[in-house]
Amino acid sequence: MVLDSLSDSLKGIIRKISGSSYIDKDTIKEVSKEIQRALLKADVNVKLVLRLTKTLEDRAMNEKPPAGMTDQDYIIKIIYDELLKILGQNVNFELRPQTIMLVGLYGNGKTTTAGKLARFFIKKGFSTALIAADVHRPGAYEQLYQIAKEVNAQFYGEKDEKNALKIVKNGLNATDAKIKIIDTSGRDSLDEDLIKEVREIKESVKPDNVLFVLDATMGQQAGPQAKTLNDAVSISGVIITKMDGTGKGGGALSAVAEINSPVYFIGTGEHMDDIEIFNPKKFLSRLLGMGDIDALMEAV
Amino acid sequence: KEGNQRVIKRSEIDNQIMEILLESDVSLDSADLITEKLKERMGKLKRRVDFYSVEDELKNVIKEIISENQNRFDILNPGKKPYIILFLGINGTGKTTTIAKLAYYLKNNGKKVVISASDTFRAGAIEQISILGKNIGVEVIKHDFKSDPASVAFDAIEHARARSLDYVLIDSAGRMQTNKNLLDEMKKIKRVSKPDLTLLVLDAMIGQDVIEQANTFAREINFDGIILTKLDTDAKGGAVISVSTEIKKPILFVGTGQNMDDIMPFDPDWYINKIFSS
Ligand SMILES: Nc1nc2c(ncn2[C@@H]2O[C@H](COP(=O)(O)OP(=O)(O)OP(=O)(O)O)[C@@H](O)[C@H]2O)c(=O)[nH]1
Ligand SMILES: Nc1nc2c(ncn2[C@@H]2O[C@H](COP(=O)(O)OP(=O)(O)OP(=O)(O)O)[C@@H](O)[C@H]2O)c(=O)[nH]1
Ligand SMILES: [Mg+2]
Ligand SMILES: [Mg+2]
């Protein structure tokens, strides 16, 4: 039975409405309220949650479940569909020579992810260079240098240079690697100087991909922060880190809803191999606390 | 918040308060509890109320919850020497930066401090804390990359004893609360260093996961208080309220930037102002 794999709280609601063959308006409201709570617990942005459950209510009132599907299952399917719409289908990251710039908030995992991506591309046979453009955090140069050594990537950095743009330009010139990955400092929406710095890098070197690295424990700020960064540098994709923890990633989902970019990878640990291709369905089952959600969705 | 008089329906209070709290990253359970408390407090109200009086009462409720768990502990006069502080937290929350800031704060208050570079695991971690130590003029005890973090701490404590220093601040590698090996390693660091104070470092951007993290660390390692970093950002840091409500540990310091003087003792009034500023 499909419902066996749902989270306890959702199971609870479903149980409540099971038995009644017909789901009325009040019941839909009640279920919607519980789904709201499940989404809020997963760090989905408050306004987005309200929007989603409004859609849920409208659709549940007006649509008939397909033959063979109960009303209860259909309600779950609606919310799942709406969330999947935000995430989109699997988009594979293009395996071609390119320049990638990583941006994101303080300590979310940019430098580590730079190393993971380098290993990923090197395994696929691409020569790869890491460029150290974090001129602010003490030890950032050494961190990336050591990571580059570990994954056998080329490394470019200028230890005492404080002009990040200059380093990036020199670094891009200095290497003939097929894949060039630029690591930048952590920054947030209120730090105008740092936003300006990254915008200048982006405008000057025009990387093929600007990837937003954000961690799965992030709460309500994920959306707004993504928006500011997107306005500054046009984010082309997202990487969600620290998925080995218990953070549900609703913040990341909200960021995606805000900037409309695909998620390409997830980080699942501190080691250089701890990176996986993003799978929206897997991500959603985890977010909603459901086990095997595919069984339900494929039933249609 | 438009105008000076914002009258709302009584039935809307719940939703509005929940929204404020949840948008500040207060945990759902804490937000429920606070909303209940607030309603109790407001007693029988007219059908329409001035939202600002509700907000004022909400501030009072929050202040009470936070203050219940704050103790009067004075970090500048801990009454033991060397006073050993261990820092703990998941990856990237700001432990290393906070240690340097705190060392700087203590030093500026005339104290003698040594730092133990016990993150021997992450690339560049030893270099990071060494550079920070050099910048603030505080000695850092370190071993090689990948060496045993507990023995670095042991050496730092010996160093402090021999020179009669006031504080030992022990850095540690970021660790997920789901990683059993790293939890075991932390237990060992704690067993060997016997800290007088163990502090959990949390990032103000953290969402609902804060309770799971804090509970697991409390159960597995135990800690005495919290430092919340990155409060210079737009994040409201509802974690302060969640941990006060559900974990019942004090907040000792907050981090407000990447510079060495961007740290301050936690002040409930300052914090409440931050939450309600738009
Ligand atoms: N558990 C876990 N830790 C991760 C993951 N990705 C990164 N980290 C850790 O998170 C911490 C911060 O990672 P960094 O790569 O230094 O983050 P950053 O974004 O470069 O940080 P700043 O440059 O200071 O802004 C480090 O301890 C990493 O090992 C992940 O997927 N899982
Ligand atoms: N804006 C801001 N940034 C901070 C604050 N505290 C720390 N940071 C930044 O957050 C990032 C991570 O800080 P670290 O001190 O390296 O974090 P950590 O917990 O030691 O990280 P790991 O050892 O990798 O787990 C760095 O870029 C710091 O500069 C703060 O209060 N405000
Ligand atoms: Mg970095
Ligand atoms: Mg550290």
Side-chain angles (χ1 to χ4, degrees):
Chain A
M1 227 292 257
V2 170
L3 297 182
D4 287 346
S5 56
L6 297 178
S7 73
D8 287 346
S9 65
L10 278 177
K11 246 189 258 170
I13 333 160
I14 301 296
R15 224 174 269 128
K16 248 190 252 165
I17 57 174
S18 306
S20 57
S21 56
Y22 170 74
I23 299 186
D24 61 8
K25 197 174 164 187
D26 287 346
T27 316
I28 289 173
K29 275 254 180 258
E30 198 182 331
V31 176
S32 166
K33 197 124 206 124
E34 281 306 320
I35 288 180
Q36 248 174 36
R37 293 178 68 85
L39 295 176
L40 289 167
K41 269 211 151 135
D43 285 319
V44 180
N45 187 276
V46 175
K47 296 212 162 64
L48 179 58
V49 170
L50 295 177
R51 222 161 51 230
L52 282 166
T53 47
K54 174 86 184 43
T55 310
L56 172 71
E57 287 166 27
D58 290 348
R59 286 188 57 186
M61 296 291 286
N62 296 315
E63 292 173 20
K64 280 254 150 298
M69 188 179 244
T70 63
D71 285 1
Q72 296 92 305
D73 280 356
Y74 193 54
I75 290 182
I76 300 294
K77 177 168 165 48
I78 294 172
I79 198 71
Y80 178 83
D81 284 350
E82 291 298 325
L83 292 169
L84 200 56
K85 244 188 241 166
I86 294 174
L87 291 174
Q89 292 298 330
N90 287 43
V91 186
N92 280 330
F93 197 71
E94 270 191 279
L95 297 175
R96 57 174 171 85
Q98 59 182 298
T99 303
I100 300 167
M101 178 163 86
L102 301 181
V103 299
L105 293 148
Y106 317 98
N108 273 229
K110 294 172 292 300
T111 308
T112 308
T113 303
K116 292 177 181 180
L117 284 176
R119 171 160 289 173
F120 174 84
F121 280 109
I122 288 167
K123 273 193 191 156
K124 305 263 178 209
F126 291 92
S127 55
T128 303
L130 291 169
I131 299 172
D134 179 354
V135 298
H136 301 287
R137 168 169 164 179
Y141 174 101
E142 287 81 358
Q143 185 185 5
L144 192 68
Y145 175 82
Q146 289 172 19
I147 285 174
K149 220 159 87 184
E150 185 184 340
V151 301
N152 285 316
Q154 297 175 29
F155 172 83
Y156 186 87
E158 297 177 29
K159 210 163 178 174
D160 296 311
E161 178 57 58
K162 286 288 162 211
N163 183 334
L165 175 58
K166 198 168 144 199
I167 298 174
V168 173
K169 281 182 174 165
N170 290 344
L172 291 175
N173 276 331
T175 174
D176 56 1
K178 292 282 182 276
I179 306 282
K180 305 172 186 105
I181 301 172
I182 305 165
D183 179 32
T184 64
S185 301
R187 67 199 80 227
D188 79 294
S189 60
L190 294 183
D191 199 326
E192 283 166 23
D193 292 345
L194 288 180
I195 295 288
K196 183 162 165 264
E197 177 195 82
V198 77
R199 188 194 302 121
E200 281 171 5
I201 298 175
K202 147 90 189 189
E203 277 164 13
S204 171
V205 308
K206 301 194 171 51
D208 304 286
N209 267 299
V210 178
L211 302 182
F212 179 48
V213 177
L214 90 166
D215 93 37
T217 68
M218 217 201 294
Q220 294 291 319
Q221 272 296 310
Q225 294 290 333
K227 184 173 185 315
T228 312
L229 265 171
N230 190 41
D231 289 346
V233 297
S234 308
I235 293 163
S236 62
V238 174
I239 298 180
I240 309 171
T241 62
K242 307 186 195 173
M243 288 288 286
D244 48 322
T246 49
K248 291 285 188 286
L253 178 111
S254 311
V256 170
E258 193 69 59
I259 63 180
N260 233 318
S261 304
V263 184
Y264 289 116
F265 298 98
I266 60 169
T268 56
E270 298 144 277
H271 296 280
M272 289 300 127
D273 290 321
D274 296 335
I275 185 165
E276 292 173 20
I277 309 262
F278 178 69
N279 176 332
K281 292 187 175 172
K282 217 167 133 189
F283 179 83
L284 278 188
S285 356
R286 178 185 146 127
L287 185 135
L288 291 168
M290 300 174 176
D292 182 18
I293 199 161
D294 263 2
L296 169 60
M297 299 315 140
E298 243 99 80
V300 185
Chain B
K1 289 155 204 173
E2 54 283 2
N4 240 334
Q5 289 264 309
R6 202 176 129 212
V7 175
I8 57 165
K9 278 197 213 136
R10 172 113 220 235
S11 58
E12 273 174 25
I13 293 181
D14 273 27
N15 286 342
Q16 301 233 4
I17 298 303
M18 281 302 272
E19 211 168 312
I20 293 177
L21 293 172
L22 291 170
E23 287 195 325
S24 304
D25 285 317
V26 175
S27 74
L28 193 56
D29 290 342
S30 301
D32 283 340
L33 207 124
I34 289 171
T35 312
E36 272 315 305
K37 251 196 179 147
L38 180 69
K39 278 201 301 194
E40 245 167 61
R41 272 303 183 74
M42 305 283 301
K44 284 198 177 30
L45 282 179
K46 294 190 292 270
R47 242 165 53 77
R48 290 175 170 275
V49 290
D50 170 11
F51 186 71
Y52 291 101
S53 63
V54 180
E55 203 179 85
D56 280 344
E57 198 54 40
L58 175 61
K59 287 181 190 170
N60 291 335
V61 171
I62 292 176
K63 185 161 180 189
E64 257 178 48
I65 289 175
I66 295 175
S67 306
E68 262 168 36
N69 300 294
Q70 290 303 113
N71 51 31
R72 307 243 161 274
F73 174 70
D74 178 5
I75 199 145
L76 294 175
N77 296 291
K80 179 181 171 280
K81 192 171 165 164
Y83 193 72
I84 301 165
I85 310 179
L86 175 63
F87 294 76
L88 163 75
I90 71 154
N91 311 76
T93 56
K95 294 172 291 301
T96 307
T97 309
T98 301
I99 286 172
K101 290 180 192 174
L102 192 64
Y104 189 58
Y105 173 86
L106 293 169
K107 187 185 167 210
N108 288 341
N109 279 283
K111 308 293 183 185
K112 295 199 201 86
V113 188
V114 66
I115 293 172
S116 167
S118 292
D119 179 357
T120 59
F121 173 76
R122 205 205 67 212
I126 298 174
E127 287 80 358
Q128 181 187 10
I129 192 71
S130 302
I131 296 168
L132 288 165
K134 201 168 141 219
N135 291 348
I136 59 172
V138 166
E139 189 162 357
V140 175
I141 303 298
K142 56 191 169 197
H143 292 183
D144 290 339
F145 191 43
K146 306 278 166 175
S147 60
D148 174 29
S151 54
V152 187
F154 184 86
D155 282 2
I157 294 165
E158 284 299 296
H159 176 97
R161 288 219 169 93
R163 287 163 187 78
S164 158
L165 305 184
D166 300 304
Y167 297 86
V168 181
L169 306 186
I170 306 172
D171 193 10
S172 69
R175 66 200 70 229
M176 272 302 165
Q177 83 282 7
T178 47
N179 187 320
K180 183 170 183 307
N181 290 340
L182 290 181
L183 289 180
D184 288 346
E185 182 196 80
M186 195 65 194
K187 287 177 192 162
K188 182 178 171 201
I189 300 175
K190 198 165 177 185
R191 206 160 54 234
V192 169
S193 63
K194 299 185 189 64
D196 301 294
L197 191 69
T198 303
L199 297 179
L200 177 67
V201 179
L202 294 172
D203 179 330
M205 296 260 178
I206 191 171
Q208 302 284 320
D209 194 41
V210 63
I211 296 300
E212 177 74 30
Q213 275 182 38
N215 268 329
T216 308
F217 283 129
R219 187 179 65 236
E220 296 287 329
I221 317 284
N222 202 14
F223 60 90
D224 307 294
I226 283 160
I227 297 186
L228 195 70
T229 64
K230 312 183 194 175
L231 268 173
D232 50 312
T233 64
D234 248 342
K236 302 289 190 189
V240 165
I241 297 174
S242 315
V243 295
S244 298
T245 311
E246 296 177 56
I247 317 286
K248 309 218 178 288
K249 304 267 189 196
I251 299 41
L252 269 60
F253 285 89
V254 295
T256 56
Q258 302 198 84
N259 295 322
M260 286 300 107
D261 44 17
D262 292 332
I263 187 165
M264 53 186 214
F266 177 69
D267 171 1
D269 290 317
W270 177 89
Y271 171 72
I272 288 166
N273 259 333
K274 167 146 178 113
I275 284 216
F276 288 93
S277 70
S278 45

